[in-house]
Amino acid sequence: MLAFTFRRVLVALAVALTVSVASFLLLHLSGDLATAIAGPEATGPQIAQIRQDYGLDQPLLTQFLTWGWRALHLDFGNSFYFRESVIDLLAARLPITLYLGIIALAVALFVAIPLGVVAAVKRDTWIDRTALAVSVLGQAMPSFWFGLTLILIFSVNLRWLPVSGNATWKNFVLPAVALGYYAMPAVMRLTRNGMLEVLASDYVRTARAKGLPPRKILVRHALRNAVIPVIALSAVQFGFMLGGSIVIEAVFSLQGLGQLAWESIARNDFPVVQAIVLVLAMIYIGLTLAADLLNAFLDPRLRQA
Amino acid sequence: MLAALAAPLIAPHDPYAQDVSRRLIPPIWQAKGTWDHVLGTDKLGRDYLSRLLYGGQISLLIGISAALISGLIGTVLGLCAGYFGGWVDSVVSYIVTTRLAMPVVLVALAMAALVGGSLKVVVLVLGFLLWDRFAVVTRAATQQIRNQDFVSAARAAGLTDLRIIRQEILPNIMNALIVVATLEMAHAILLEAALSFLGLGVQPPLPSWGLMIAEGKQYMFFQPWVITIPGVALLLLVLAINLLGDGLRDITAPEARN
Amino acid sequence: MPLRTLTRAATLAATLATSLATLIAAHPALAGKADDTLVYASDSEPENVSPYHNSAREGVILARNCWDTLLYRDPKDCTYKPFLATAWTWTDDTTLDLTIREGVVFHNGDPLGPEDVAFTFNYVLTPEARTVTRQNVDWMKSVEVTGPHSVRIHLKAPFPAALEYLAGPTPIFPAAYFKKVGLDGFAKAPVGSGPYRITKVDSGRGVSMERFDRYWAESPLGKPKIGKLQFRVIPDGESRMAELMTGGVDWIWRVPSDQAEQLRAAPNITVLNSETMRVGFLQFDTLGRAKENSPLKDVRVRQAISYAIDRKAMVDNLVRGASRVMNALCFVDQFGCTDQGVTRYPYDPAKAKALLKDAGYPNGFEIDLGAYRERDYAEAVIGYLGAVGIKARLNYLRYAAFRDSLRAGKTSIGYQTWGSFSVLDVSAFDGVYFRGGEEDLTKDPKVIADLQEGDGSTDPETRKAAYAKALQRIAAEAYALPMFSYSTNYAFTSDLTFTAQPDEVPRFYAASWK
């Protein structure tokens, strides 16, 4: 287990390094940084001064090392647009996206796991087929269109929930449903398949033979085993959701990380974009690492991989 | 799908011909609809049905080309990893993990913003981002086949690796690849819609369904058909492609159904 | 790990935790008459709340409601009235003496005096201040305190529009406070002397304000009637509209005409259409910097484009409201603006095609067109160009990126709009785009000379004649195509009494509940 953990952490670190190189290059591909920092009215000598002050006249490798060293210390420089430090901006916006992601995941799990279980138990009945249809629909629907439709129905027509902003938990209901629905099909299919596998396994058969009540078998034996891979998948889905929330945040005017990223892209504010790419990637790497280790811990067979 | 392909033949109007004095005519089933514009007109007085047909063509074009590019990248990587194993496999796994760690929508948006959104850019960006599933599936399938008798026989007969891959392995994993291709096509179409919605995908006046939803958003409260029609069209198209994929999987690998 | 990193990480963690906690425990935002809170929403967030450090309209609104200026322009008769300055005299063409009002206090309690005036202007004139719109201030050379209640402004050259600028984009900062906190501190907790006091700047979300109780009684702005103001940034137009319909916000603007018409029918919502000083225009890359052998270098091509666009049909069907087609590149009510003797380009696609043929482009050409505001208008222009064979590709950007791209010569045709910072003088329009500055894509020495003559002369008739010459040349050479004046649709709760002004500055201090 120790060797496995070590190997996985090493891979995660290597991936993190590659992602940082990629996001570093992203900023440097976006044009002459000195001109961007200096602003539109700067003169030639001023730009040259800034180039020197910011170390932009150094070789790219030196610049990367300096940048990486600072990033390690949570210093991503200043936003071109707001002229305040990027990390402050991120700290203000990240909680909203995290909160949205957590609720969306909760919504997805609360719907998908029971649906998956029922679909497995009532295999090949109309319930199974409906569950499948719901999940296929979830994959086929553009999430922003779904979000807009939710606004139209629940905010404008029924007036049950607010349209935009992040003032209370109510503001998060619709975006979380829109985001969670997209993650639901994968969780449902995995639960269903896991349940089918476990229900067909020897020990469930033994339990049945012993005459245990079906409900007890289902919850205590089958579900517990089937849910393990789902937890790992959830970690990965959570990472995807943080990255995918950009569209949902735009629809619901939620001032989270995604909205900040989108606006920063439109404003050519690349230090912010770069930091967001890096932060999201790091969260994803951390989550998959945790999921891998959890899986390996629970299922020793996987440690060979 | 067929309708989209035949767009130039059946579209009643030029999808770019604007007439601002005939804007926002409602579709035929509403009180003020006319047969001249069956699905009405948009905000610049362009025929909606014609734009929908041409838009479908563009959405399909994006889906197919992106799936082709990503299929090429993913299959090559997956074949190498699965066939050679060892350090090649480790390197490929590492590339796949790195790619998965990059938030797709964000990176696609940033790239489109750097280069400038256009049909070509969208196809290339999506093609270069969506190959991960191809690689994973190809790798697993290749690993299964690699040690089977006919491959060993071919190797014993002194065939080169390239020929083994081309003649023995590739034909056997083709079915799985086609299934992945349909999924990625649907994925690419949805992502293009999201990019266009955020303003960095296909640029007007080209019609794409995502762009039409984005443009129709303005009218969602009072003229909801402007947004509902392309939304439903997109939903149906992606649904059709997904079901096609599922169907193919059922035919080619019935045992994998559950 | 060094201490600094640890502290930074700890602060970050603390911020994350507290904001998560506040999110979970937050109370709904108050809006409306019952709470005496006017919530207004707009799409973008000024990059910095300091009025000299943004060029966003939302920033101008904050500036006018929370800061006072030296002079006041009466919107009724466009005359200048005493504001923070009680009297002013021109000693000569380049020296202006002003007496500063006594008894005015800033929001933090500091008294306002001549030192504050001198500090503000001298500071924004320094290169380090990085004032965003330089032409608002760079007509001043320096400012000195000349007595306990007086200041003297030294001009670089005669500048007859000086009073207009002192009545608009030049608010007064509290010197002591600004020196203490610096620009960064000021942006987070700004202090002015206006009718409303900023209580909170919430990055990405908006700005909260409340009535300033110690606001001086004789102010021409009067005492505000509404207790609290809240500015919410809602980037999405449909979200803004849905918020208004559901009572989440009380006031929105720039509602597209189609939606405004529908909103009119909704109960409890008042819709108001009003012409603004904003004029839309196509700016051409006449020097051909964006594209090799750019067709736009040829005057016939620029004229062809001008004939190809049916501006009247756009105004009648698309823009609607109080908008008017413009023929001269300025807003008609600005001093010096006239379309007398200016070349007109009526809609004539046949003539456009003929001109293109003459210029050697019988089959048209491909070109890029940048835009940052109403996408529909830009798309309509592209549609008209397409009809005469010019295939234009839209490049839709945020304003800052759009402006930078034009300045850098990377855009061939820019769909521009300009609101002149609400300054009623042609210098604030054509001075920006044709006087050789960074926004000037043409750099025609004749136009520059005419504009300089107009800006620098003190005789109104000489000024008018010089500006007319410049405007005529711009139109004859088709350096830019003026489109139309914008009108804006305001939509707000029927509980509110609100009057709009053409300068696109909503005066919330004058609004009241019914």
Side-chain angles (χ1 to χ4, degrees):
Chain A
M1 183 70 198
L2 199 66
F4 174 80
T5 310
F6 181 70
R7 211 164 55 226
R8 273 297 140 102
V9 171
L10 210 65
V11 170
L13 284 178
V15 170
L17 185 71
T18 320
V19 173
S20 358
V21 174
S23 51
F24 170 78
L25 286 177
L26 178 72
L27 180 62
H28 282 260
L29 283 175
S30 65
D32 183 17
L33 288 179
T35 318
I37 298 169
E41 268 153 62
T43 56
Q46 274 173 317
I47 294 175
Q49 182 65 39
I50 284 170
R51 188 166 285 129
Q52 202 180 345
D53 291 349
Y54 284 74
L56 293 168
D57 48 353
Q58 304 285 318
L60 213 56
L61 184 67
T62 323
Q63 286 188 48
F64 172 68
L65 290 177
T66 327
W67 174 81
W69 181 247
R70 289 208 183 117
L72 266 182
H73 295 73
L74 295 176
D75 176 4
F76 295 100
N78 279 338
S79 151
F80 289 165
Y81 184 74
F82 291 104
R83 310 216 173 264
E84 64 177 291
S85 88
V86 171
I87 195 71
D88 287 349
L89 275 174
L90 293 196
R93 307 294 184 89
L94 184 60
I96 294 167
T97 302
L98 282 180
Y99 195 52
L100 173 64
I102 291 168
I103 305 183
L105 186 64
V107 169
L109 293 180
F110 272 112
V111 177
I113 294 181
L115 211 59
V117 172
V118 174
V121 175
K122 307 270 179 196
R123 186 180 168 187
D124 288 334
T125 63
W126 66 270
I127 300 180
D128 186 16
R129 259 170 241 133
T130 312
L132 195 74
V134 169
S135 84
V136 169
L137 213 59
Q139 278 174 333
M141 195 150 38
S143 56
F144 56 93
W145 185 67
F146 184 48
L148 290 172
T149 313
L150 288 178
I151 293 185
L152 195 58
I153 298 172
F154 292 100
S155 303
V156 176
N157 290 336
L158 296 173
R159 310 255 164 136
W160 288 351
L161 293 159
V163 179
S164 68
N166 51 3
T168 64
W169 63 269
K170 281 187 187 162
N171 294 80
F172 286 87
V173 176
L174 293 183
V177 169
L179 188 58
Y181 192 42
Y182 208 60
M184 205 197 69
V187 178
M188 199 215 81
R189 284 185 180 206
L190 194 66
T191 313
R192 179 176 175 273
N193 293 350
M195 281 301 282
L196 286 177
E197 204 176 297
V198 177
L199 285 177
S201 67
D202 291 342
Y203 67 94
V204 171
R205 265 188 237 140
T206 322
R208 264 201 201 119
K210 276 199 286 183
L212 286 175
R215 186 177 298 258
K216 207 167 173 184
I217 299 175
L218 206 64
V219 175
R220 191 180 283 174
H221 297 277
L223 187 59
R224 235 171 62 184
N225 284 297
V227 133
I228 290 167
V230 172
I231 295 171
L233 177 74
S234 306
V236 178
Q237 286 289 337
F238 186 67
F240 280 136
M241 270 197 255
L242 293 186
S245 75
I246 188 165
V247 179
I248 294 297
E249 286 180 21
V251 170
F252 290 92
S253 299
L254 267 177
Q255 305 286 350
L257 215 53
Q259 181 89 352
L260 180 66
W262 178 40
E263 302 217 300
S264 301
I265 287 172
R267 290 176 192 135
N268 286 342
D269 193 353
F270 276 91
V272 178
V273 180
Q274 178 187 41
I276 294 175
V277 169
L278 196 61
V279 166
L280 286 179
M282 292 306 152
I283 293 178
Y284 180 84
I285 292 169
L287 286 171
T288 40
L289 180 66
D292 275 358
L293 294 181
L294 184 73
N295 263 346
F297 182 71
L298 294 169
D299 187 351
R301 277 177 305 171
L302 288 174
R303 288 177 213 163
Q304 313 304 320
Chain B
M1 245 195 258
L2 282 176
L5 290 177
L9 300 176
I10 55 174
H13 294 273
D14 175 356
Y16 306 111
Q18 73 183 28
D19 179 356
V20 288
S21 64
R22 297 173 60 82
R23 51 198 299 277
L24 290 174
I25 296 174
I28 190 70
W29 58 85
Q30 294 210 342
K32 285 181 189 159
T34 79
W35 277 109
D36 195 25
H37 300 282
V38 179
L39 292 183
T41 56
D42 73 356
K43 56 183 183 167
L44 295 176
R46 297 176 292 204
D47 182 58
Y48 215 62
L49 177 62
S50 312
R51 284 187 74 73
L52 196 70
L53 291 169
Y54 276 91
Q57 213 177 14
I58 289 177
S59 289
L60 268 179
L61 176 75
I62 290 170
I64 293 172
S65 351
L68 279 179
I69 297 175
S70 56
L72 193 69
I73 302 174
T75 312
V76 169
L77 285 175
L79 277 174
C80 292
Y83 184 79
F84 296 109
W87 67 268
V88 180
D89 189 21
S90 304
V91 169
V92 170
S93 300
Y94 156 77
I95 298 177
V96 172
T97 326
T98 311
R99 169 27 224 107
L100 282 173
M102 310 283 270
V104 177
V105 182
L106 190 52
V107 173
L109 268 180
M111 293 313 292
L114 277 179
V115 195
S118 73
L119 188 59
K120 208 165 60 191
V121 171
V122 169
V123 166
L124 286 178
V125 166
L126 292 180
F128 280 104
L129 280 173
L130 299 180
W131 47 263
D132 49 284
R133 207 173 338 194
F134 280 106
V136 172
V137 170
T138 312
R139 172 176 172 270
T142 313
Q143 274 174 344
Q144 272 180 10
I145 296 172
R146 170 177 70 180
N147 298 323
Q148 282 183 10
D149 294 343
F150 63 92
V151 178
S152 312
R155 207 174 285 141
L159 285 163
T160 60
D161 288 341
L162 195 66
R163 274 188 78 178
I164 297 176
I165 290 176
R166 218 174 47 211
Q167 293 181 348
E168 309 292 337
I169 294 182
L170 208 49
N172 279 299
I173 61 168
M174 217 49 202
N175 291 329
L177 280 182
I178 290 172
V179 174
V180 178
T182 59
L183 287 177
E184 288 309 326
M185 218 173 113
H187 195 177
I189 290 174
L190 282 179
L191 266 178
E192 182 278 320
L195 287 184
S196 291
F197 177 76
L198 294 175
L200 284 162
V202 173
Q203 293 294 315
L206 271 187
S208 97
W209 288 353
L211 192 60
M212 288 172 78
I213 298 178
E215 289 174 350
K217 196 166 71 83
Q218 218 181 322
Y219 300 94
M220 63 183 271
F221 299 125
F222 306 114
Q223 287 101 353
W225 77 85
V226 182
I227 184 164
T228 314
I229 293 172
V232 170
L234 190 59
L235 177 81
L236 290 178
L237 175 67
V238 175
L239 208 58
I241 295 174
N242 272 337
L243 291 177
L244 184 76
D246 278 3
L248 282 176
R249 181 161 50 201
D250 287 352
I251 297 165
T252 56
E255 75 282 0
R257 211 179 141 202
N258 296 315
Chain C
M1 221 189 267
L3 194 64
R4 215 156 53 93
T5 313
L6 269 179
T7 23
R8 203 175 282 144
T11 346
L12 186 64
T15 333
L16 284 177
T18 44
S19 34
L20 259 181
T22 44
L23 271 181
I24 294 162
H27 297 287
L30 301 172
K33 187 181 177 181
D35 303 304
D36 198 17
T37 305
L38 171 62
V39 183
Y40 69 96
S42 190
D43 59 355
S44 42
E45 175 185 19
E47 59 263 48
N48 188 320
V49 179
S50 161
Y52 292 101
H53 296 92
N54 70 71
S55 56
R57 187 45 57 166
E58 287 76 7
V60 179
I61 300 176
L62 290 173
R64 296 293 180 93
N65 283 285
C66 303
W67 277 271
D68 286 345
T69 47
L70 290 177
L71 307 185
Y72 174 73
R73 189 184 70 216
D74 195 327
K76 284 189 214 85
D77 53 10
C78 290
T79 54
Y80 304 109
K81 302 246 162 88
F83 203 12
L84 288 178
T86 51
W88 56 93
T89 43
W90 286 100
T91 313
D92 57 51
D93 278 356
T94 56
T95 315
L96 180 65
D97 281 325
L98 300 109
T99 314
I100 305 301
R101 186 180 297 276
E102 290 173 60
V104 176
V105 289
F106 283 109
H107 300 147
N108 64 349
D110 289 354
L112 185 148
E115 297 78 19
D116 300 296
V117 177
F119 166 77
T120 305
F121 292 156
N122 287 327
Y123 162 72
V124 297
L125 283 169
T126 57
E128 296 77 54
R130 300 243 286 267
T131 305
V132 171
T133 309
R134 297 275 310 171
Q135 66 265 22
N136 284 340
V137 293
D138 72 357
W139 46 275
M140 290 187 266
K141 192 166 78 192
S142 65
V143 182
E144 60 173 323
V145 178
T146 47
H149 304 297
S150 56
V151 292
R152 172 171 291 170
I153 301 178
H154 296 282
L155 277 63
K156 283 179 182 151
F159 186 65
L163 298 184
E164 176 68 26
Y165 283 86
L166 289 179
T170 50
I172 304 303
F173 284 0
Y177 177 74
F178 193 93
K179 279 183 204 153
K180 196 176 90 194
V181 297
L183 180 57
D184 288 346
F186 193 75
K188 289 195 177 89
V191 167
S193 65
Y196 282 97
R197 188 171 73 84
I198 292 178
T199 52
K200 195 170 178 219
V201 179
D202 213 351
S203 164
R205 269 162 252 174
V207 178
S208 309
M209 287 154 272
E210 65 179 35
R211 184 167 49 207
F212 179 40
D213 287 327
R214 294 174 67 192
Y215 190 58
W216 50 293
E218 322 85 83
S219 165
L221 307 188
K223 196 98 181 157
K225 289 162 199 81
I226 293 171
K228 285 186 184 129
L229 282 186
Q230 206 189 341
F231 161 43
R232 272 188 64 191
V233 183
I234 305 179
D236 185 80
E238 287 63 54
S239 298
R240 282 198 298 278
M241 208 153 75
E243 286 284 13
L244 178 73
M245 290 195 281
T246 55
V249 307
D250 303 307
W251 184 99
I252 58 175
W253 67 341
R254 295 174 176 171
V255 182
S257 294
D258 293 324
Q259 282 71 32
E261 262 161 43
Q262 307 280 354
L263 273 182
R264 238 178 255 279
N268 309 323
I269 290 176
T270 307
V271 176
L272 190 71
N273 179 281
S274 154
E275 190 185 26
T276 71
M277 287 177 62
R278 184 170 296 274
V279 174
F281 62 102
L282 297 185
Q283 200 183 2
F284 301 121
D285 171 36
T286 57
L287 297 175
R289 287 191 297 161
K291 206 172 165 216
E292 221 168 300
N293 300 323
S294 173
L296 296 173
K297 283 178 13 197
D298 191 325
V299 62
R300 286 169 298 188
V301 171
R302 302 195 297 263
Q303 285 169 336
I305 292 176
S306 308
Y307 282 119
I309 297 165
D310 192 349
R311 294 172 290 163
K312 183 154 186 330
M314 283 179 74
V315 167
D316 291 346
N317 299 295
L318 210 58
V319 192
R320 304 204 291 268
S323 297
R324 288 178 279 176
V325 170
M326 292 284 141
N327 293 306
L329 188 68
C330 47
F331 181 65
V332 280
D333 290 350
Q334 282 178 316
F335 177 89
C337 182
T338 172
D339 60 3
Q340 299 266 306
V342 159
T343 318
R344 280 160 202 254
Y345 297 95
Y347 178 53
D348 192 344
K351 196 161 180 180
K353 277 187 189 159
L355 278 164
L356 283 177
K357 205 172 158 196
D358 280 356
Y361 301 99
N363 303 316
F365 50 86
E366 283 188 27
I367 199 98
D368 60 291
L369 186 144
Y372 74 101
R373 269 173 71 117
E374 290 77 7
R375 203 171 170 138
D376 308 9
Y377 302 173
E379 273 187 65
V381 166
I382 289 177
Y384 281 121
L385 294 181
V388 297
I390 302 172
K391 281 177 274 308
R393 199 175 68 86
L394 180 63
N395 190 15
Y396 190 81
L397 299 164
R398 290 296 164 93
Y399 182 59
F402 167 78
R403 184 189 58 194
D404 291 349
S405 165
L406 269 170
R407 281 180 171 179
K410 289 180 191 154
T411 297
S412 296
I413 304 177
Y415 189 112
Q416 281 273 21
T417 80
W418 188 241
S420 304
F421 268 93
S422 309
V423 174
L424 274 176
D425 192 286
V426 161
S427 66
F429 199 122
D430 297 81
V432 175
Y433 292 100
F434 282 97
R435 228 188 82 157
E438 274 197 281
E439 320 281 349
D440 187 351
L441 303 186
T442 305
K443 303 223 164 37
D444 179 339
K446 282 190 191 147
V447 177
I448 294 175
D450 289 338
L451 288 175
Q452 276 170 344
E453 191 193 342
D455 290 356
S457 162
T458 44
D459 173 34
E461 291 314 311
T462 319
R463 293 192 68 202
K464 278 186 188 167
Y467 287 137
K469 248 170 79 191
L471 292 171
Q472 283 161 13
R473 184 162 169 85
I474 292 169
E477 292 289 324
Y479 287 142
L481 175 68
M483 301 284 292
F484 36 75
S485 66
Y486 275 55
S487 65
T488 191
N489 289 301
Y490 303 85
F492 46 89
T493 160
S494 300
D495 287 341
L496 189 73
T497 310
F498 172 83
T499 353
Q501 303 290 350
D503 61 8
E504 261 190 304
V505 182
R507 277 116 170 127
F508 292 119
Y509 52 76
S512 61
W513 300 114
K514 275 194 185 127

